[in-house]
């Protein structure tokens, strides 16, 4: 019954044509969009319309939410699930958007707690994904990273990868997979890659991925997702096995799309 109501509601949402201004914004600001074929673009547009309509959006610290903000965030979030089932963001209810970097409040010490290290002050937040809670994003960071995928950073990909990771009610760096063989392959490849990265970071050696990926397995999955969609050719070259397992999960091959787009078109 719930699925019937959901599908009926979504059909009503999609009766309205995708606004031309929305597509122009995506075309001009999200380079990956140009690599999609017409069928994929239409599916992405449908996902964006449903995503924007179904989620609760809140502008924080005086930010007035505009169509530009909603569309740019929704487009990138939905790129991750372009080839996945529609309800892969069923655990995303609210999206809070701040105009610029925010500081996390200091955690007060417990009454019986004894400090054994300097108290950490407020930390800058570019984005957060809360289990059973909202996704928090910073708009100026979203804009900057969207326009410069060559840097490999994308806060929208990062935080929504966390939400995919949390779909099985556990943030452990492993999103829901379909077969025991997939879980086995995921564990083998990701564990090896993660431990190698940690070792390089510990010894101050250069790494392809941002060193933040060595924080824990959860951050590793979020960071490599950023690179999978932002720098796919490089990732496939330097980390082919890891690229392959992400390709299997997301059911997309961004590196091939980039290559195909770069090939000269025959007359």
């Amino acid at each position: 019954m719930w699925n019937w109501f959901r599908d009926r509601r979504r059909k009503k949402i999609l009766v309205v044509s995708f606004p031309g201004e929305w597509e122009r914004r995506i075309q001009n600001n999200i380079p990956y969009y140009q690599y999609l074929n017409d069928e994929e673009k239409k599916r992405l547009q449908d996902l964006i319309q449903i995503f924007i309509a179904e989620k609760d959006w809140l502008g924080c610290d005086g930010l007035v939410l505009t169509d530009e903000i909603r569309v740019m965030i929704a487009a990138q979030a939905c790129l991750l699930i372009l080839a996945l089932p529609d309800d892969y963001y069923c655990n995303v209810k609210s999206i809070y958007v701040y105009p610029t970097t925010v500081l996390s409040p200091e955690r007060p010490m417990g009454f019986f707690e004894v400090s054994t290290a300097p108290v950490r002050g407020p930390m800058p937040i570019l984005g957060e994904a809360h289990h059973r809670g909202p996704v928090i994003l910073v708009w100026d960071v979203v804009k900057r990273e969207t326009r410069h995928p060559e840097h490999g950073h994308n806060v929208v990909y990062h935080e929504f990868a966390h939400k995919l990771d949390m779909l099985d009610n556990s943030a452990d760096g492993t999103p829901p997979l379909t077969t025991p063989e997939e879980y086995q392959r995921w564990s083998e490849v990701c564990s090896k890659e993660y431990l190698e990265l940690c070792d390089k970071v510990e010894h101050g050696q250069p790494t392809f991925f941002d060193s933040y990926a060595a924080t824990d397995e959860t951050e590793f999955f979020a960071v490599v997702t950023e690179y999978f969609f932002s720098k796919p050719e490089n990732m496939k070259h330097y980390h082919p096995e890891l690229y392959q397992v992400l390709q299997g999960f997301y059911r997309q091959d961004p590196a091939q799309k980039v290559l195909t787009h770069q090939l000269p078109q025959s007359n």
Side-chain angles (χ1 to χ4, degrees), residues 92-127:
V92 178
K93 306 300 182 185
S94 304
I95 300 162
Y96 298 171
V97 188
Y98 286 83
T100 189
T101 305
V102 293
L103 296 176
S104 63
E106 294 185 37
R107 183 183 67 84
M109 289 183 59
F111 184 79
F112 295 105
E113 188 174 357
V114 177
S115 177
T116 58
V119 177
R120 191 184 71 175
M123 297 291 291
I125 296 175
L126 306 182

Side-chain angles (χ1 to χ4, degrees), residues 84 88 161 164-165 168 170-195 217-225 228 235 241-251:
L84 298 177
Y88 257 52
L164 294 177
D165 182 14
D168 55 4
S170 176
D172 56 6
T174 303
L177 304 174
T178 55
T179 67
E181 291 75 20
E182 282 186 282
Y183 278 105
Q184 179 66 27
R185 179 64 175 161
W186 185 281
S187 177
E188 291 174 355
V189 173
C190 292
S191 295
K192 177 175 70 71
E193 294 270 357
Y194 173 67
L195 292 175
E217 292 87 343
T218 303
E219 297 301 341
F220 179 77
F221 172 59
V223 170
V224 298
T225 290
F228 181 75
M235 180 176 175
E241 289 185 307
L242 183 57
Y243 182 93
Q244 187 178 46
V245 297
L246 286 184
Q247 180 184 347
F249 170 65
Y250 285 111
R251 306 177 196 178

Side-chain angles (χ1 to χ4, degrees), residues 78-210:
C78 292
L79 273 172
L80 300 191
I81 61 166
L82 184 62
L84 298 177
D86 292 347
D87 270 355
Y88 257 52
Y89 284 143
C90 59
N91 62 343
V92 178
K93 306 300 182 185
S94 304
I95 300 162
Y96 298 171
V97 188
Y98 286 83
T100 189
T101 305
V102 293
L103 296 176
S104 63
E106 294 185 37
R107 183 183 67 84
M109 289 183 59
F111 184 79
F112 295 105
E113 188 174 357
V114 177
S115 177
T116 58
V119 177
R120 191 184 71 175
M123 297 291 291
I125 296 175
L126 306 182
E128 284 187 345
H130 293 264
H131 187 50
R132 298 191 180 90
V135 172
I136 298 173
L137 297 167
V138 172
W139 175 233
D140 63 357
V141 176
V142 171
K143 286 192 296 183
R144 181 176 68 250
E145 294 181 347
T146 297
R147 293 167 182 168
H148 296 283
E150 69 275 9
H151 297 159
H153 301 297
N154 186 298
V155 67
V156 180
Y157 294 160
H158 187 103
E159 301 309 334
F160 280 91
H162 280 317
K163 279 298 194 179
L164 294 177
D165 182 14
M166 296 172 184
L167 276 169
D168 55 4
N169 292 316
S170 176
D172 56 6
T174 303
L177 304 174
T178 55
T179 67
E181 291 75 20
E182 282 186 282
Y183 278 105
Q184 179 66 27
R185 179 64 175 161
W186 185 281
S187 177
E188 291 174 355
V189 173
C190 292
S191 295
K192 177 175 70 71
E193 294 270 357
Y194 173 67
L195 292 175
E196 288 178 357
L197 176 66
C198 290
D199 184 67
K200 287 183 177 181
V201 171
E202 183 180 352
H203 292 90
Q205 299 175 0
T207 61
F208 174 70
F209 298 117
D210 190 286

